[in-house]
Amino acid sequence: MKQAHFSALKRSDFGNDFIWGTSTAAFQIEGSPYSDGKKASIWDEFSHKKGKIYEGQNADVACDFYHRFREDLQLMKSMNISNFRFSISWSRILPDGTGAVNSAGLDFYDRLIDECLKIGITPWVTLYHWDLPQALERKGGWTNRDIINWFSEYVKICVTRFGDRVNNWMVLNEPLVFLGAGHFLGIHAPGRRGVKNFIPAMHHASLCQAIGGSILRDHNPNLNIGTTFSCSYIEAYRDREKDHKAAKRVDCLVNRLFLELSLGYGYPFEELPFLKRVDKFYKPEDDQLLAFEFDFIGIQNYTRELVKNAWWIPYLQATNIKAEKRNLPTTEMGWEIYPEGLFQLLKKYDAYPGVKNILVTENGAAFPDHLINGQVKDEKRQQYLQQYMGAVLKARNQGINVNGYFVWSFTDNFEWAEGYHPRFGLVYIDYKTQQRIIKNSGLWYRDFLQTPETPKKAMQRSSVQHSNFFKP
Ligand code: GCO
């Protein structure tokens, strides 16, 4: 795709109903892990273990969103952002994961939701963005089938309390990532490793994905119910049969597994025979329980992976070739910048008859940002966003059913095991002072979002920024 194509991006090209927003997650922004009755989550515990997080950092303060949400929402409003995706911290609501409800935790989310609505921001709530109560982890966490009851209890409490004001719900955030990184590789909380943890956790999370959806729908059939999937566009490294087969296996695990379970396709045993170990955890009623008709799927894409056959890698027999080795442009995470991949994924998901509506619930980039004279000139992030938004537009123009886009993330925040150094925000945070500074990419997004009623100002501003930006 040519650059000229992106420089012309206009909000109106996406249509009036297209949903524009930003995304966050409780653990990455809130801080205050033990305030007002909250108890530890697996991430509170994990991030305080030695050697788990970059430079021994933790999220005890993070963006102090717990105390600063009002000013952050004001800032968001000033940037014309009218949809805000955030998650609820399970251990604020149920400090032990189950049993006694913490009313101060419910009050916090009441205040947050009410403030959103008061200033005209639509809340989009994720129920589980990785911060399982530590008390449940002690009982086996996702590997224990009882999690179906614990999770159901938590979902019921949330929807009963907030369902009168929150219409848009997402059950899980990226099951593959919290299962793969947290229950197979051990590099994320709770630090479990191996298929013996991955397989039961995968199965129970898949059940919860669907059961959570049913609970929301039973509460109110008019809610807009989705769940989110991480996805990467996967291609074979070389045009060899073995690499194509390896790419197919990886695609199946990364891009298809959790969606297809929700669509009622069952497990892809043919492509991934190691999943057969799930039989041990599978009950006859699970055929029914795994499927749920979501109103939308949230897809979260950042990059593409080139994959080659690798007999020495257990289970997948595949490995990826890092972008830096291929001399391609990457973000600070080492992820290849490849907007065409998002287009290809949208096309892929749109082809499933059971997928009713697609939203891009996360996309964004980390680059080294420098605050100089009160400004962050993050041209690369702006370019990244423009290119990926261009890919969404291309998809829409070809009739693909994608109807929303949320930038990851509103402010810089705690990037899990990577700590604070990858900055993904449209808004810079000076962590010493907690000062917020809108980056140039944020100013660009603000101007892009300027409502069509005031097009003049928006056009002038963005054309200046574009022309600066696309100078060779
Ligand atoms: C994820 C999460 C976010 C991340 C973001 C950048 O996708 O890992 O949803 O919490 O911070 O994706 O890595």
Side-chain angles (χ1 to χ4, degrees):
M1 287 185 276
K2 290 196 190 103
Q3 285 192 340
H5 178 66
F6 309 115
S7 64
L9 270 192
K10 286 198 302 301
R11 178 179 183 163
S12 55
D13 294 338
F14 291 79
N16 288 338
D17 296 334
F18 193 84
I19 297 156
W20 294 100
T22 54
S23 288
T24 59
F27 184 75
Q28 296 179 272
I29 60 170
E30 286 179 1
S32 303
Y34 301 106
S35 295
D36 303 326
K38 181 183 175 300
K39 291 190 186 169
S41 76
I42 52 175
W43 270 98
D44 292 312
E45 189 101 352
F46 185 79
S47 55
H48 280 272
K49 283 191 184 154
K50 231 178 139 194
K52 301 294 182 198
I53 312 292
Y54 176 80
E55 290 187 348
Q57 295 167 348
N58 62 60
D60 289 358
V61 178
C63 312
D64 195 24
F65 184 79
Y66 189 70
H67 297 111
R68 294 168 194 264
F69 70 90
R70 284 203 174 84
E71 43 182 273
D72 281 352
L73 291 176
Q74 282 300 338
L75 191 63
M76 198 178 294
K77 181 74 190 165
S78 80
M79 291 165 69
N80 302 319
I81 297 165
S82 55
N83 291 280
F84 178 38
R85 172 175 176 244
F86 58 88
S87 74
I88 295 179
S89 159
W90 185 341
S91 59
R92 277 197 206 287
I93 308 290
L94 289 154
D96 295 308
T98 172
V101 176
N102 177 31
S103 61
L106 290 169
D107 292 347
F108 169 67
Y109 293 105
D110 272 341
R111 292 197 295 278
L112 172 58
I113 292 162
D114 290 345
E115 189 67 19
C116 284
L117 296 174
K118 193 172 111 195
I119 66 173
I121 291 176
T122 305
W124 292 71
V125 169
T126 311
L127 284 160
Y128 185 75
H129 202 129
W130 306 357
D131 46 355
L132 187 78
Q134 180 64 28
L136 296 181
E137 177 59 24
R138 273 185 228 112
K139 300 180 192 169
W142 287 102
T143 67
N144 183 343
R145 195 176 167 105
D146 288 348
I147 195 147
I148 297 175
N149 299 330
W150 305 327
F151 188 66
S152 300
E153 180 185 344
Y154 164 64
V155 175
K156 273 182 207 148
I157 292 168
C158 290
V159 73
T160 306
R161 178 74 166 224
F162 310 123
D164 57 338
R165 285 153 293 155
V166 174
N167 194 50
N168 307 296
W169 295 83
M170 283 146 285
V171 180
L172 298 183
N173 181 71
E174 301 190 352
L176 181 74
V177 181
F178 77 79
L179 296 162
H183 295 78
F184 182 75
L185 298 172
I187 54 172
H188 274 191
R192 290 178 182 259
R193 287 173 205 271
V195 279
K196 69 175 190 302
N197 284 302
F198 177 81
I199 296 282
M202 165 196 75
H203 187 54
H204 302 142
S206 306
L207 289 163
C208 286
Q209 173 177 275
I211 292 168
S214 306
I215 292 171
L216 295 168
R217 185 151 301 143
D218 287 349
H219 178 83
N220 176 356
N222 298 321
L223 297 178
N224 187 29
I225 304 165
T227 195
T228 73
F229 304 109
S230 52
C231 52
S232 291
Y233 183 53
I234 308 289
E235 285 185 296
Y237 179 52
R238 283 162 299 196
D239 191 12
R240 300 195 315 181
E241 203 194 334
K242 278 190 169 177
D243 286 358
H244 283 293
K245 282 191 174 159
K248 207 170 166 208
R249 290 192 294 276
V250 174
D251 179 60
C252 185
L253 180 69
V254 171
N255 296 323
R256 294 173 34 203
L257 175 64
F258 294 96
L259 168 66
E260 291 186 3
L261 285 170
S262 79
L263 293 173
Y265 292 21
Y267 283 98
F269 294 134
E270 206 178 298
E271 290 92 330
L272 302 173
F274 78 94
L275 294 180
K276 286 203 184 111
R277 295 162 202 235
V278 78
D279 282 354
K280 220 170 114 190
F281 306 95
Y282 205 97
K283 304 240 154 113
E285 64 268 28
D286 293 358
D287 282 349
Q288 296 293 319
L289 289 176
L290 282 166
F292 178 75
E293 227 184 291
F294 283 104
D295 297 309
F296 70 94
I297 59 165
I299 75 156
Q300 317 201 145
N301 172 249
Y302 294 84
T303 190
R304 118 177 124 157
E305 302 290 354
L306 291 194
V307 168
K308 72 171 187 183
N309 185 62
W311 54 265
W312 62 95
I313 302 286
Y315 312 112
L316 274 180
Q317 278 87 43
T319 188
N320 62 334
I321 317 294
K322 290 213 167 93
E324 59 199 19
K325 281 204 181 152
R326 293 180 274 126
N327 274 326
L328 292 171
T330 65
T331 68
E332 201 186 1
M333 302 291 282
W335 298 342
E336 184 190 350
I337 301 169
Y338 193 70
E340 174 68 13
L342 176 55
F343 168 77
Q344 292 297 339
L345 287 161
L346 290 169
K347 206 162 122 182
K348 179 185 179 81
Y349 288 118
D350 191 54
Y352 282 93
V355 169
K356 296 194 209 159
N357 182 13
I358 307 172
L359 305 178
V360 177
T361 41
E362 280 183 25
N363 170 249
F367 289 108
D369 289 324
H370 304 286
L371 178 62
I372 299 168
N373 298 329
Q375 271 194 305
V376 180
K377 295 187 176 167
D378 58 338
E379 285 81 9
K380 285 188 175 167
R381 179 174 296 102
Q382 185 177 321
Q383 183 179 34
Y384 178 102
L385 295 174
Q386 287 173 331
Q387 292 181 341
Y388 275 79
M389 283 159 59
V392 175
L393 182 59
K394 177 172 151 188
R396 267 179 85 77
N397 288 342
Q398 295 191 16
I400 290 171
N401 191 19
V402 53
N403 297 298
Y405 176 89
F406 291 69
V407 177
W408 182 272
S409 181
F410 180 57
T411 60
D412 294 334
N413 58 49
F414 184 81
E415 178 59 20
W416 310 109
E418 301 299 323
Y420 295 100
H421 79 96
R423 291 177 176 270
F424 275 89
L426 294 169
V427 174
Y428 182 91
I429 295 199
D430 177 344
Y431 289 107
K432 288 200 192 86
T433 61
Q434 287 292 343
Q435 205 196 339
R436 272 73 166 145
I437 298 111
I438 306 178
K439 300 178 193 176
N440 282 3
S441 62
L443 295 173
W444 172 78
Y445 195 51
R446 175 191 74 185
D447 293 345
F448 170 83
L449 293 179
Q450 191 93 358
T451 48
E453 289 85 61
T454 48
K456 214 167 151 209
K457 194 174 157 208
M459 267 172 59
Q460 275 168 1
R461 280 178 170 280
S462 21
S463 58
V464 170
Q465 295 205 358
H466 285 304
S467 55
N468 285 347
F469 188 69
F470 287 114
K471 260 192 213 142

